[in-house]
Amino acid sequence: MESGQKPMEIQIMFPDHLRGGVYSNNMSIAHTREEFVLDFLMVAPPAGSVTARIILSPGHAKRVAAALVENLRKYEETYGALQAAEEPKGRIGVN
């Protein structure tokens, strides 16, 4: 950005149907050379379902990973150290 220029402000629309969010207690990640695919899952044995699918470019995936690391650091600074949750038992197949 050139000296003296103000950063551009971008107005983001938030659709009503997304305001409540979705819950996820599991995630599956796949990638190709061009994209990362994050499937967020709600698993309650004996079944589960995909609650959201996010497709990212590799560069954006790296920024997301860095933002998560930074926010986990801030969270632990405020609330104390987190213990990693145990990996779920069994295998999840997505149809």
Side-chain angles (χ1 to χ4, degrees):
M1 181 179 311
E2 291 183 30
S3 175
Q5 281 187 326
K6 292 183 181 177
M8 181 181 4
E9 185 174 314
I10 298 172
Q11 296 294 317
I12 304 295
M13 298 294 297
F14 207 127
D16 287 341
H17 72 281
L18 295 177
R19 288 185 190 271
V22 294
Y23 181 76
S24 170
N25 63 4
N26 208 314
M27 185 175 73
S28 172
I29 302 174
H31 69 276
T32 65
R33 181 176 174 85
E34 293 80 23
E35 61 198 14
F36 279 74
V37 178
L38 285 62
D39 285 334
F40 292 88
L41 314 168
M42 173 54 197
V43 178
S49 64
V50 174
T51 57
R53 171 172 275 183
I54 308 298
I55 303 169
L56 310 168
S57 70
H60 188 52
K62 189 145 189 166
R63 288 190 302 274
V64 167
L68 281 170
V69 167
E70 175 64 12
N71 277 271
L72 283 167
R73 183 191 65 73
K74 290 177 181 178
Y75 180 96
E76 289 183 325
E77 232 175 51
T78 303
Y79 302 107
L82 283 168
Q83 299 299 318
E86 185 177 314
E87 187 94 16
K89 305 285 188 239
R91 186 170 118 72
I92 295 175
V94 178
N95 294 340

